[in-house]
């Protein structure tokens, strides 16, 4: 059976052995091109004819370099601010918290 199936045509594989014998039309197109026409049955796939045009408002190399330079300056300023903030010394240590009070003596009959 394996040797018999290897000799089957693509049409027999598409429609099955019974479909190949009875002459049922193949569900797969005989078109050798991988691009198939849109029949309107499946509208969830976009049509290649509706691809938008290429963008025209792309930045130039000089504009991208300016943006990168601004980002580098911002990063350096942020690092300077961090260094200055970490260098600030507290004027005095924080006060110690109060001790936890003892649990109340709750016994029935005592107020």
């Amino acid at each position: 059976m394996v040797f018999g199936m290897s000799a089957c045509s693509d049409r027999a594989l598409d429609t099955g052995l019974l479909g190949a014998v009875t002459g049922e039309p193949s569900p797969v197109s005989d078109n050798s091109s991988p691009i198939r026409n849109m029949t309107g049955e499946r509208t969830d796939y976009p049509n290649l004819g509706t691809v938008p045009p290429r963008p025209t408002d792309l930045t130039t190399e000089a504009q991208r370099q300016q943006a990168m330079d601004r980002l580098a300056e911002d990063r350096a300023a942020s690092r300077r601010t961090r260094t200055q903030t970490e260098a600030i010394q507290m004027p005095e240590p924080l006060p110690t918290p109060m001790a936890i009070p003892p649990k109340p003596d709750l016994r029935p009959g005592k107020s």
Side-chain angles (χ1 to χ4, degrees), residues 30-108:
D30 290 334
N31 187 2
S32 61
S33 172
I35 300 172
R36 297 185 183 145
N37 292 334
M38 296 281 293
T39 60
E41 295 171 6
R42 302 219 29 186
T43 57
D44 53 339
Y45 292 107
N47 187 350
L48 292 178
T50 61
V51 174
R54 289 189 179 269
T56 57
D57 57 343
L58 299 175
T59 58
T60 63
E61 182 66 31
Q63 291 170 331
R64 287 191 295 270
Q65 188 60 45
Q66 280 181 335
M68 288 174 45
D69 292 342
R70 278 195 311 266
L71 290 172
E73 290 170 6
D74 287 347
R75 182 176 50 236
S78 174
R79 287 182 179 161
R80 281 192 303 273
T81 304
R82 178 181 175 198
T83 305
Q84 292 169 355
T85 304
E86 289 174 349
I88 296 174
Q89 296 293 324
M90 296 293 288
E92 57 187 53
L94 295 175
T96 57
M98 293 177 52
I100 298 174
K103 291 185 179 181
D105 184 18
L106 300 175
R107 284 186 271 171

